[in-house]
Amino acid sequence: MAEIAEVIVDVKARQVNRPFDYLIPPEYSDTIALGSRVIVPFGPRKVQGFVVRLKDQSEKEQTLKEILYPMDSEPSLSEELIQLGRFMADHYFAFMTQCYETMLPNALKSSYDRVFEWHNEPVKELNIHLPMTWQDAQQTNSLKTLLALKKDNKVLLTTIVKDKKTVKTETLVTRSLKRSQYKDIFESLRPNAKKQRELVMALSLQTAKTITKEALLKNYPILTQADLKSGEEKGWLTISKREVSRMKPIESDHLTRPLVLSNEQQEAYNRVLPTIEHNEHRVFLLEGVTGSGKTELYLQWIQEVLKKGKTALMLVPEIALTPQMTARFQSRFGKKVAVLHSGLSKGERFDEWRKIKRKEATVVVGARSAVFAPLDYIGIIILDEEHESSYQQSEVPHYHARDIAIRRGQYHDAPVILGSATPSLESRARAQKKVYDLLQLKHRPTKQSLPEVHLVDMRDALLDSEGHFSQPLLKAIKDRLKKEEQTVLLLNRRGFSSYVMCRSCGHVPMCPNCDISLTLHLDDHSLKCHYCGHQEPVQKVCPQCGSHDMRYVGSGTQQIERELKQLIPDIRVTRMDWDTTRKKNQHQHLLEEFADHRTDVLLGTQMIAKGLDYPNVTLVGVINADTGLYLPDFRAFEKTFQLLTQVSGRAGRGDKPGDVYIQTYDPSFYAIRLAKNQDYETFYEREMQLRYRGKYPPFYYTTLLSISAPLEQEALRVSYRLKAQIEKHISEDMILLGPSPKSIARINNRYYFQILLKYKKIDCIEGVLKKIVSDTQAKNKQDVYVKVEREPQNFM
């Protein structure tokens, strides 16, 4: 049995970003395992650590310290995830402890208590009084005994987060006697002992031996918690607790059946099936027009995986997509489905994580972080809308879920499916080079054709338009109202307007902390910064010149909503943007409201552009297609094409035909023109030519260095020092751009500069990047931060 554990300690410093050897105390030898979280002494402190290796002897010559105690009775990380964490730390320039923490639910990053409780009857001869916290057990030297009792199933161990309960429980009341015995007890009680008689009567009449406390007190309002406690002391009943999930129970009595596949779908299905049957890892790019039935293929592939006794992982890019996708999966697989995304509460996410860990769920549906779900025996991994930039983590470690999914697929010898109507150019190029297998769905499986797309030239329509609505779009919305059909309107900006401006002197209220104008929010009549959160009331008088002539410039979702209600007073609008979806479950509530046809129009930002499937939606309107076209990002044209194609696909998904109206000031621009016909192949060829000439992905790798400091001169000085350091290692096929200020040069009183590296061979720059990360960690203490990001998805 191993006596020594290699532990990654939770200290984020380059000097300690490696395993440390600790002795395993004999009393914990059966509890501490690979992947366990432990508390260890580290200098004068006690810190959390992850056990990443077990061994019989240490190569260190010094006397080793002992692990103080384990934090869990079972490992939190599998051997696979431990290996994955090592890869992430090396590949994404992060600390190992950061990578392991990223894999766990937030509840396991908090302060919490573990509580021991008797499973059934107390073991009286031990003279141990439960419940008892893990810490109390450790301090009273009872931990070893309780762990042994847990192993024998005599003790239960539950988890409670100190600041918020992690494990939700309900109280159970169980009869201790036979039902016939309660008659004698009832007759022996005094007539004025009303509550006791009521309790005995309730226990004798109760058909089930056990009932929840809540149900019992509801049925017999005269009774209280104190009466139940008194009944327990008299031996009439026992009170216990049972863990319950915070998630709504899944009704699985009437599961949906697989649909008949079209010829195209069947061909794609057959291409993947052998890899499932023979446990073969391959990456498939499923390119299918909107509404082509990609989700049904996902469901049927997963069904084959489950038949083999394996598990499946399904990722979606947006929280807004999760409720509808989850509903489809639950209606097919019932209680086998677990859900993981950041919209869940801390407790709900922990409940679902443990459900997966206990193997109670074999299908996981979730957003980016669900890629780390603690599944074993994975048979298939699917990324829907694989082109979405939200699959990349914006904080350290800057992992991309697609890369992690492929790595997990390799580990489990499982196929990985990347699905999209508009694949990223990088993925499509890999398919062209046969690195990925290309599957194509060029038609919808039903007779329903793609929606008819109309480009509205706003240069001509501006004189006849009503605010931000052209006459053709407005007429189409009114027509849908008459037919009792629904409309989706896209505007890729939240708030009421872009900014407020004085018409007299041109003054624009700016954020005091960032180099950006404040955005007007009409619901609370405030100006807000979307970067640092600064907020201030709207001023009716210009602080610069004293003029009362303040006007709104640009457009936002609030303004579009108000305009639409002025033009069509009886119209019912559901607005979905960051402001209306901040509260828990708001995504789901708003989408349910629209699905039930309690509203006529779904107005929102890009979160409504993909994945949503409502048969009654026959019209899609894009208020301004040019919004993101000329942003300082080499993917701007690609993102615009993807967004327009995806949102167009929301129309006409049922039996009724669909129409799309795209308002633009440049209808001849190729990204907009090709999106009109969902002509991905032509767009791909055109965009690839531009990428080749510009030496951007997929022809070159890219790495972005972001440098920030409170003083502009300091940030710039460090930027030029890093540039000089890189130039010493530069080769012929490497391009260095910068340093230059970021698009928004100051955010929250910090100045930002960036250096972009483009290179053909990843090995040529790896060493210098790791040295930069290592050297600049010491600088972080001086409030100068350097962030290194591989293949950045966002340059704003």
Side-chain angles (χ1 to χ4, degrees), residues 423-582:
S424 64
L425 264 67
E426 291 87 338
S427 292
R428 186 63 172 78
R430 290 188 182 106
Q432 194 162 320
K433 289 183 176 180
K434 310 297 183 186
V435 177
Y436 298 164
D437 291 88
L438 181 62
L439 311 172
Q440 289 183 304
L441 302 175
K442 297 181 179 180
H443 307 93
R444 289 183 168 182
T446 62
K447 294 179 181 179
Q448 188 61 56
S449 61
L450 290 171
E452 185 176 354
V453 181
H454 313 268
L455 297 182
V456 181
D457 189 340
M458 292 301 287
R459 295 171 299 183
D460 299 330
L462 199 57
L463 292 176
D464 297 326
S465 66
E466 300 274 0
H468 290 86
F469 291 89
S470 64
Q471 285 299 326
L473 176 56
L474 194 59
K475 183 180 176 182
I477 294 171
K478 291 176 179 177
D479 178 62
R480 265 50 184 192
L481 279 175
K482 289 178 185 176
K483 295 178 180 177
E484 296 186 344
E485 296 171 358
Q486 291 174 289
T487 299
V488 168
L489 291 177
L490 172 73
L491 179 74
N492 201 21
R493 173 179 287 127
R494 63 188 171 96
F496 184 76
S497 67
S498 296
Y499 56 91
V500 177
M501 185 179 73
C502 173
R503 295 185 71 172
S504 298
C505 71
H507 171 73
V508 175
M510 302 290 290
C511 175
N513 308 315
C514 311
D515 288 342
I516 194 163
S517 60
L518 294 171
T519 301
L520 174 65
H521 287 251
L522 199 63
D523 52 359
D524 57 359
H525 214 62
S526 66
L527 293 170
K528 296 179 182 177
C529 175
H530 291 171
Y531 288 87
C532 73
H534 172 80
Q535 180 173 334
E536 60 186 57
V538 176
Q539 296 181 0
K540 296 181 180 179
V541 179
C542 175
Q544 196 87 353
C545 70
S547 169
H548 289 262
D549 197 4
M550 303 291 285
R551 72 167 181 175
Y552 310 138
V553 181
S555 60
T557 47
Q558 290 181 32
Q559 185 177 0
I560 298 300
E561 180 183 20
R562 192 175 78 163
E563 266 186 29
L564 188 57
K565 288 180 177 179
Q566 287 173 343
L567 294 167
I568 311 174
D570 296 333
I571 200 164
R572 300 169 299 171
V573 180
T574 293
R575 193 179 98 236
M576 273 190 74
D577 54 25
W578 187 85
D579 298 300
T580 62
T581 56
R582 280 180 292 180

Side-chain angles (χ1 to χ4, degrees), residues 174 345 452 589 760:
T174 305
S345 69
E452 185 176 354
H589 293 156
K760 282 278 191 181

